[in-house]
Structure formats: C-alpha cells, structure tokens
Amino acid sequence: MAELTNDISRTAELVVSGSRLVTPQGVRAGHVLIAAGRVLAVSDTDTAPPFAKRIDAGDAYVLPGLIDSHVHFRTPGLTHKEDWEHGGRAAVAGGVTTVLDMPNTVPPTLTEQALRQKAALVDGRTLVDYGFHLGVDPERPELLASLDPAAARSAKIFMAGHHTAPTVLREPAQLQKAFAAAAEGGVQLVLHAEDDSLFALLDGWWGEPGSYAEYEARRPRSGGIVAVAKVIELVRRHGTKAHILHLSSREEADLVCAAQNAGLPVTFEVTGHHLSFTDEDTHRLGARTRLSPAIRSRADQDRLWEAVWAGQPAAIGSDHAPHTVEEKTRGVRQSPPGLPGVQELAVAVWTGMRRRWPGEHPDRAAERLVRLLGSGPADLFGLTGKGRIEAGSDADLAFLRPDDTWMLSAADVRSKCGWSAYEGWTMAARVTRTLRAGRVVWDAEDGTFGEPDGRWLTPADKHRGL
C-alpha cells in the first residue's frame, strides 16, 4: 500500500495541508493530494513532487465542499431576483460547491426537456456544480414512473402554493398518482409539506394575514402537521422515498422520527433560517423573515436544534429564495415569502452551534456540519464523489476559520438581491477559501472568484476511478 501511495503521490498537482482536515474518520492533521480535480490521497506526509502547488490552510478547518440541496437560483424567468452567476458566487463565498435547484421558475421545470433547457442556460455561467429537482406536474403526475435518471435525481411536490409556487398538488387523487408513479420509477420525492386546502379554509374564515404580528398564526403549524401525516400515510401505502423540506415545527419533527422508527423511508431537512430566527423576529423584521413555511416559536426552534444534535435530519438546506427589495417591501399580502441564504448557511449554523453548545469541542461541531451539509445530502441524492474528503472524491474543499468573528453587512452579500436577513449578525467563523475540482473559486483575502465552469451532475454520471 505504501508503494501504491508513493506512485499516486508522484502525480499530485496540488497539496492542501492543514491541522484540521475533516475526514470521514474524524478531524486530523495531514495533507490532501490532488490531481485532475480529484483527491488522490489523504496522507500524514507530503510526498508530492516539488513542482506541485501547495496551499497551507493553517488552523482553519478544511471541510469537503459543502452541498446545499435546496436553492432557488431563479433561471429561467425570474432572473431579476437571482441568477446562476450571482447565486454561484454567494454559494462559494459560503463554502458551498454543489447545489440542487428547485423547479418553480417561469415556466416551471416540469419535463425532462425543460430540465435540459435549463442546464443549457446554466452551462458556463456558474462557479458551482449543480443538479435539479424536477417539478411534478399536477395534471400529469404519472410521468414520474418513466423519469429518465439522467435528467433528474428527484422530483418536487408543492402541497401548498404561494407567489412563486403555482403548480400545487391539492387533490388526494393527484398525490396518490404521484406517490405511486414515483415508487414505480424509483424517484426520490422532495416535498413542500403544508396543506393548501387547510390554509384556504382558514383564510375563508379569518382572511389573509394583515400584519406580520399575525403572520405565523395565519399560516399555522397545523398546515404542516396535516401534510406530514398525509405524506407518511402515502409512503406507508406505496413505499415511496419521501424527503420533507424546511420542516418547521416540533410536531412535524416528532412525526417523521416516529415514521423512521417504524421503518418508513421518510427523511427531513431543516433550514438555516428556521434554526436562526423565530416568529418574534418576523414581528420585528417583517418581510425580511417572511417564509413559507412560516418561522415559528422558540420552542419549535429548540426542537429543531435538538434534532440537529441528535443527527435526525438528513440535511440542512438554505432554501435560498431571493426577492428584490421592492418586492419584499410591498404590503403584507403582496410580499412574497423567501430570503437569500446559501452564502450565510454554513457560518450561521456554525454560529448557532457554538452559542447553543459552547462547551462542545469544535471538532465535533465541524464533523456535524460536514454530515448535515456534506455526506448527508450526498448520500440522500446520490451525489457521487461529493461531501467527503477521501481518495477518489472530487477535490472540493472549503476553509472555515473558527473564532474569526465578523459582522455581516449588505456589502458582504453576493446574491443578486443585495440584502440579507442576517445583516448585523456577528458570525463566529469565516469561510476564507473555497476550491472546486482543485481550483480556487473563492478567496476572501482579496475577494476574488475563479472560473464559472461548474458542471451538471446527472445521476447517470459514473465517477471515474483513479
């Protein structure tokens, strides 16, 4: 094995060295040997040839390039809010090198042809590697049974609608067909699990929210609880794999954990926003933290953090969904839900962990961050070569410098929308450098980016061996 390692090391083009490499075996000192965009080896010693380039990460944590499996980069049709150029910059500035994009664009991405057209629009324009969630057409949910795995790794169902989510599966027959077809086609479903008919019923009685003080109560937890219960029953009936997005309440978390305990293939995501803000912030900040599902109480936030501690979520996502300042400052009924978050995600979650559990060794926090933003989503969505620093993986790396406190301002925001709900937050760490495929795509020291040559990751891709 030593001879093989030496043979491999002689081909290394780049060596990243550090005292805190976050690997599947734990945090360790060492050297990551890289060639042709892949990790050759993780070694105790630097055995690369003298001509290899070297980067010293010092005492920063060297994470695998992070994965955000829930972004809205708004192409096509909504690029006044965001585009792949700006979204990619925001991502890599936050240590994210791979994203999965949502289908609620204009027009919505409901067919394999539309997915390929979207990929053509993205090609050559972004710093991140990417995949897509197909949208489920309410009129033709049976198409999931024959979905080409080369086009999409998963399909998104909206069980409730809002300003930028017009394609909603409201009827029980539609959901039955979708779950049955997804099971037949082996398709992973991802779901916005709130019950639209329940909200319509309440709106008919109360009226829509008229102020942000009542926003959470008018989009109540009951909508999510009812929808999650429906999802669990459909999974039980059809055996479909289901991943519930942006889970917001303690009851929903308990339901999914109980379903998992019963052996059902149900997983869930929490978002950085639901971990970072409460309904009190929405009272104070208004549209800045208007989300769908709504941000809920401190008790709900505490339960989501308990889930993070216990390793219950399959992933943390940003639900990066920018809108312009003009759109967000409309009246309560007209302002769309959503906020940017891909850039802030890792540092906000790190900051939350360090403040909630100040006595925890930071290595444990780094390992948790990598599982929820690396290996977890990589395994869930079949992202071969992503989410781990090990031989054969893509040479995607992010340097996270702990205890580097800084205050986020609008000037730091790389998203096209130009604002952040986290403005004024004091962060407890900073992403100082990001590499994708062995090349620097973000350097905080001089504020520069690399080449926008991110690639479309299709499930049919075969990861080449060394």
Side-chain angles (χ1 to χ4, degrees):
M1 181 63 71
E3 291 182 319
L4 178 61
T5 300
N6 288 336
D7 288 343
I8 290 174
S9 69
R10 283 195 287 270
T11 67
E13 304 163 351
L14 172 66
V15 181
V16 174
S17 302
S19 60
R20 291 169 159 176
L21 309 181
V22 187
T23 74
Q25 292 73 42
V27 178
R28 54 168 289 187
H31 310 272
V32 184
L33 280 62
I34 295 167
R38 301 286 173 82
V39 174
L40 299 174
V42 181
S43 174
D44 292 332
T45 57
D46 179 356
T47 55
F51 61 77
K53 181 180 178 181
R54 286 166 169 81
I55 299 175
D56 185 1
D59 63 354
Y61 283 105
V62 179
L63 317 176
L66 301 176
I67 300 166
D68 190 344
S69 52
H70 188 168
V71 304
H72 301 262
F73 277 4
R74 304 301 195 194
T75 297
L78 297 169
T79 53
H80 67 285
K81 304 173 188 278
E82 184 63 291
D83 53 37
W84 281 82
E85 292 90 341
H86 290 85
R89 291 174 199 150
V92 298
V96 172
T97 56
T98 300
V99 302
L100 299 183
D101 185 57
M102 289 296 170
N104 50 317
T105 52
V106 179
T109 315
L110 302 180
T111 65
E112 295 172 18
Q113 181 182 8
L115 282 173
R116 295 187 172 92
Q117 290 170 343
K118 182 189 282 191
L121 293 173
V122 176
D123 185 41
R125 291 179 170 85
T126 191
L127 290 160
V128 291
D129 290 342
Y130 52 93
F132 303 116
H133 301 290
L134 178 73
V136 178
D137 187 342
E139 303 304 318
R140 297 186 296 170
E142 64 278 1
L143 293 179
L144 294 176
S146 56
L147 177 63
D148 182 354
R153 59 192 71 254
S154 50
K156 170 77 174 284
I157 289 178
F158 286 93
M159 296 175 71
H162 54 73
H163 301 64
T164 58
T167 54
V168 180
L169 275 69
R170 295 181 175 87
E171 301 302 324
Q174 293 174 322
L175 289 168
Q176 288 278 4
K177 287 181 181 179
F179 274 74
E184 182 181 346
V187 175
Q188 169 83 59
L189 291 181
V190 300
L191 297 110
H192 181 135
E194 292 188 288
D195 192 87
D196 201 65
S197 59
L198 184 148
F199 288 159
L201 185 69
L202 291 174
D203 284 347
W205 181 36
W206 285 333
E208 293 184 22
S211 73
Y212 287 108
E214 62 182 7
Y215 176 69
E216 190 275 337
R218 296 297 180 91
R219 285 294 176 265
R221 63 201 317 103
S222 52
I225 296 166
V226 168
V228 168
K230 287 181 178 180
V231 169
I232 290 170
E233 180 54 34
L234 288 163
V235 169
R236 190 196 308 275
R237 187 172 303 171
H238 299 287
T240 319
K241 294 183 294 183
H243 179 60
I244 295 172
L245 301 167
H246 42 46
L247 187 142
S248 66
S249 75
R250 54 191 184 273
E251 292 90 350
E252 293 165 73
D254 290 344
L255 280 171
V256 177
C257 289
Q260 291 173 341
N261 185 65
L264 298 177
V266 186
T267 56
F268 72 96
E269 166 202 86
V270 295
T271 71
H273 306 326
H274 286 98
L275 293 171
S276 298
F277 301 102
T278 70
D279 56 348
E280 295 174 3
D281 294 301
T282 307
H283 297 174
R284 180 172 57 88
L285 297 172
R288 276 184 181 265
T289 57
R290 176 179 181 164
L291 289 182
S292 179
I295 291 173
R296 307 212 181 276
S297 72
R298 190 164 301 279
D300 293 300
Q301 186 187 70
D302 289 344
R303 174 64 181 92
L304 298 183
W305 275 113
E306 288 171 10
V308 169
W309 177 268
Q312 292 167 349
I316 293 178
S318 72
D319 192 6
H320 176 83
H323 301 284
T324 66
V325 170
E326 185 276 328
E327 289 168 330
K328 290 297 277 185
T329 52
R330 294 171 185 169
V332 176
R333 290 178 173 83
Q334 291 78 37
S335 176
L339 54 145
V342 65
Q343 179 178 345
E344 301 93 326
L345 180 60
V347 293
V349 172
W350 175 270
T351 299
M353 289 192 295
R354 302 308 294 151
R355 290 175 180 165
R356 288 218 162 219
W357 310 307
E360 181 181 48
H361 195 288
D363 287 0
R364 305 291 81 77
E367 290 167 350
R368 185 185 299 110
L369 192 72
V370 165
R371 186 182 65 77
L372 291 168
L373 283 167
S375 58
D379 292 345
L380 182 65
F381 294 107
L383 298 168
T384 307
K386 301 296 186 183
R388 293 176 173 87
I389 302 175
E390 61 186 4
S393 66
D394 290 347
D396 302 342
L397 304 172
F399 297 2
L400 181 79
R401 194 162 63 205
D403 305 318
D404 184 349
T405 57
W406 59 288
M407 185 177 290
L408 190 144
S409 71
D412 299 305
V413 175
R414 304 293 177 170
S415 173
K416 190 173 185 178
C417 70
W419 63 273
S420 171
Y422 295 87
E423 288 173 40
W425 269 48
T426 300
M427 299 298 186
R430 185 191 300 269
V431 174
T432 58
R433 187 173 291 183
T434 305
L435 285 72
R436 182 182 45 76
R439 299 189 302 277
V440 176
V441 289
W442 163 245
D443 189 334
E445 184 174 349
D446 55 15
T448 58
F449 295 98
E451 294 298 316
D453 56 359
R455 64 191 178 98
W456 183 17
L457 305 172
T458 71
D461 286 343
K462 298 299 182 183
H463 205 263
R464 299 186 304 274
L466 295 173

